[in-house]
Amino acid sequence: LSTEKAILPASLDDSVFMRACRREVVPYTPIWLMRQAGRYMKEYREVRARMSFLELCKTPSLAAEVTVTAAERLNVDAAIIFADILLIIEPMGLQLEFSKGEGPVIHNPVRSGADVDRLLEVEDVSALSFVFEAIRETRNALRPNLPLIGFAGAPFTLASYIVEGGASKNYVQTKSLMYNDSGAWHAMMSLIARGLVKYLNAQVDAGAQAVQLFDSWVGALSPDDYRAYVLPYTRMVIGGIRSGIPVIHFGTGTAALLELMREAGGDIIGLDWRVRLDEGWERIGRDVGVMGNLDPVALFANQDHLRAQAKLILDQAGGRPGHIFNLGHGILPETPVENVIKLVEMVHELSQTS
Ligand code: CP3
C-alpha cells in the first residue's frame, strides 16, 4: 500500500507549506500553530459548550467547522484536522474519558503482560471513520490551496497514556513495564505501530496532504532507552506512510534525542523552544526540514517582545528552505487570540522575500 504515490492537485502541491515540506524556496515562511483550534478561541468554546470534547471529535461536521474557522481566522498556511491522539486507543479496547480539569483518563490501563495480551489489534480502521469523514468535510470546506495536516500520537506517547492511564510526571508504570517485561513492551509497541500505519494512511486517503506524529512526552527517555525501546517503532510508522506524503516528527524535551529522532525518520523535525533552532537544525542535518520553535508563553508578552522573538527564530532559520514556523508546543488555553493573529501577520511580513 505504502508504495502507492499520492497525487495532489497542483494548487495544493504548490502551496507555500507543501513547498517548505520539500525544502523548496518559498516567498515567505509558512506558519501554522499546534492546537490552533482550541479553548483560547471564542468560536471553539461556543461549539464546545454544546457537547463533550469526545462528542465534538465524533461529529464530523462540527470538527470540520472548528478546523476551518481557526485556519481562516488566523490566516495560517495549513489547517490541522480537529481530533485527538488518543482516539485510536478506543478500538484497541481501552476505555477513554476526558474528565473536566483532569485531562484524559483511561479506565483500564495496561500494567502487565496479560494486559498487553488483551489489547486488540486495529485490524481495520473503520471504528475511526468519523475522523476520515471529518477530513473529507474539512477538505471540501477549505480554500483549495490550503493544505490539511492529519496526525497521530507516536508509539511512545500513546503507550505512556495506555500504561499510566492518564498524564504522568515520571512515567514510572510505563518504564517499569519497559524494563521488567520487555517482551510485553515490544509486543505492545509493535501493535500500536501497526495500527498507526493503517490509521495515518487512511487519513491520507480521506484527504490529508501531510501528517504529523506527536511524540509529546518522549523527552522523558534517556537516549539509550529511546534507541532500544522506541526508535524501531517510530521508524516503522514513518516508513509505512505512503510515499510522497511529508511527515512531521515532533516531540518536546528532545534536546538530547534530536539525532535519534532524525534517525527514526521524518521530512520535518519539530523542535521545542529549549533548543536554539539554528543549533537543532545543524545537529539533525540540513537535508531535513525543521518546524518551530517559539515558546507558547511568548504569546502572553507585549507585541514588541513577540515580534523580537519571532524575528530571532526567523534569523536563526536564516532563510534556508525547509523551515515551517510554529510554536514549540501547543497554544495554551488562556492565550490572547489577538496575539496569535498578530504572530501570523508578523511571521509573514518579517520573512517576505519578494
Ligand atoms: O492542533 C490542533 O488544533 C488539532 C487538535 C488537537 C487536539 N489534541 C485537540 C484537543 C491535537 C493535534 C491534539 C493532540 C494531542 N492530544 C496531544 C499531542 C499534542 C500535545 O499537546 O502535546 C496530546 C498529548 C493529546 C492528549 C490530550 N488531549 C490532552 C493531554 C488533553 C487535555 C489537555 C487540557 O489542557 O485539558 C486533550 C484534550 C484536547 N485535545 C483539547 C483539544 C482542543 C481540549 C479539550 C477541551 O475542549 O476541553
Side-chain angles (χ1 to χ4, degrees):
L1 268 177
S2 58
T3 51
E4 246 173 71
K5 198 168 157 77
I7 300 174
L8 296 185
S11 59
L12 276 171
D13 214 34
D14 292 342
S15 64
V16 175
F17 172 83
M18 293 302 284
R19 293 176 60 94
C21 285
R22 298 190 299 262
R23 284 177 290 110
E24 295 171 8
V25 174
V26 284
Y28 58 87
T29 302
I31 171 171
W32 70 279
L33 303 159
M34 290 182 275
R35 292 269 170 102
Q36 64 194 18
R39 282 165 297 183
Y40 76 104
M41 199 176 263
K42 180 170 75 32
E43 293 87 338
Y44 174 80
R45 291 194 303 271
E46 281 168 6
V47 175
R48 180 66 175 73
R50 289 148 47 191
M51 67 196 75
S52 73
F53 173 64
L54 269 181
E55 285 171 324
L56 175 50
C57 289
K58 294 178 181 180
T59 310
S61 59
L62 292 178
E65 183 189 309
V66 299
T67 304
V68 175
T69 304
E72 287 179 349
R73 178 117 201 258
L74 300 178
N75 191 31
V76 282
D77 299 289
I80 181 162
I81 188 64
F82 189 81
D84 197 84
I85 63 164
L86 296 175
L87 297 174
I88 196 176
I89 76 172
E90 286 190 320
M92 290 179 184
L94 295 155
Q95 291 154 22
L96 173 65
E97 191 191 351
F98 285 86
S99 64
K100 269 196 199 73
E102 261 186 273
V105 179
I106 291 105
H107 294 292
N108 52 346
V110 166
R111 293 285 163 81
S112 65
D115 293 341
V116 171
D117 291 340
R118 277 193 288 272
L119 283 175
L120 305 175
E121 179 88 31
V122 183
E123 297 284 358
D124 83 293
V125 286
S126 58
L128 296 159
S129 57
F130 54 87
V131 175
F132 314 130
E133 183 54 28
I135 290 175
R136 280 189 289 270
E137 292 190 24
T138 305
R139 187 59 275 162
N140 282 336
L142 282 174
R143 242 192 309 122
N145 63 349
L146 192 68
L148 177 60
I149 303 169
F151 72 90
F156 174 77
T157 292
L158 286 179
S160 81
Y161 283 104
I162 291 171
V163 177
E164 301 293 336
S168 179
K169 209 177 158 98
N170 295 313
Y171 303 93
V172 173
Q173 304 289 347
T174 310
K175 291 182 183 183
S176 296
L177 184 67
M178 196 187 264
Y179 301 145
N180 293 332
D181 193 346
S182 64
W185 174 263
H186 287 294
M188 177 177 67
M189 290 292 275
S190 170
L191 181 145
I192 294 171
R194 290 192 298 272
L196 287 172
V197 169
K198 292 182 194 142
Y199 181 43
L200 286 166
N201 281 329
Q203 293 186 40
V204 170
D205 292 343
Q209 280 67 57
V211 296
Q212 175 156 333
L213 264 190
F214 284 90
D215 216 349
S216 306
W217 313 134
V218 74
L221 294 170
S222 73
D224 291 314
D225 283 352
Y226 181 85
R227 182 181 282 290
Y229 298 108
V230 174
L231 191 153
Y233 305 102
T234 300
R235 196 212 302 269
M236 192 172 134
V237 175
I238 294 173
I241 292 165
R242 291 222 203 304
S243 71
I245 296 297
V247 178
I248 305 169
H249 182 186
F250 166 79
T252 74
T254 54
L257 300 175
L258 290 177
E259 291 83 357
L260 291 169
M261 283 178 69
R262 193 260 144 93
E263 206 177 310
D267 302 279
I268 304 279
I269 305 290
L271 304 175
D272 78 11
W273 63 95
R274 299 169 186 91
V275 289
R276 281 179 57 108
L277 186 131
D278 51 358
E279 290 174 11
W281 204 349
E282 198 59 47
R283 283 173 51 199
I284 57 178
R286 298 290 179 187
D287 51 345
V288 286
V290 287
M291 184 178 84
N293 67 345
L294 183 71
D295 185 342
V297 179
L299 288 165
F300 291 79
N302 64 63
Q303 291 186 0
D304 289 341
H305 182 85
L306 185 58
R307 171 181 287 271
Q309 294 301 303
K311 184 167 187 315
L312 207 58
I313 288 167
L314 290 167
D315 287 348
Q316 289 177 25
R320 281 178 292 260
H323 177 220
I324 295 167
F325 202 106
N326 206 316
L327 305 177
H329 204 172
I331 299 179
L332 296 164
E334 308 80 14
T335 304
V337 68
E338 64 276 11
N339 281 5
V340 183
I341 293 168
K342 202 72 201 171
L343 173 67
V344 175
E345 267 175 44
M346 287 170 179
V347 167
H348 285 159
E349 179 212 312
L350 289 166
S351 65
Q352 197 86 35
T353 56
S354 54

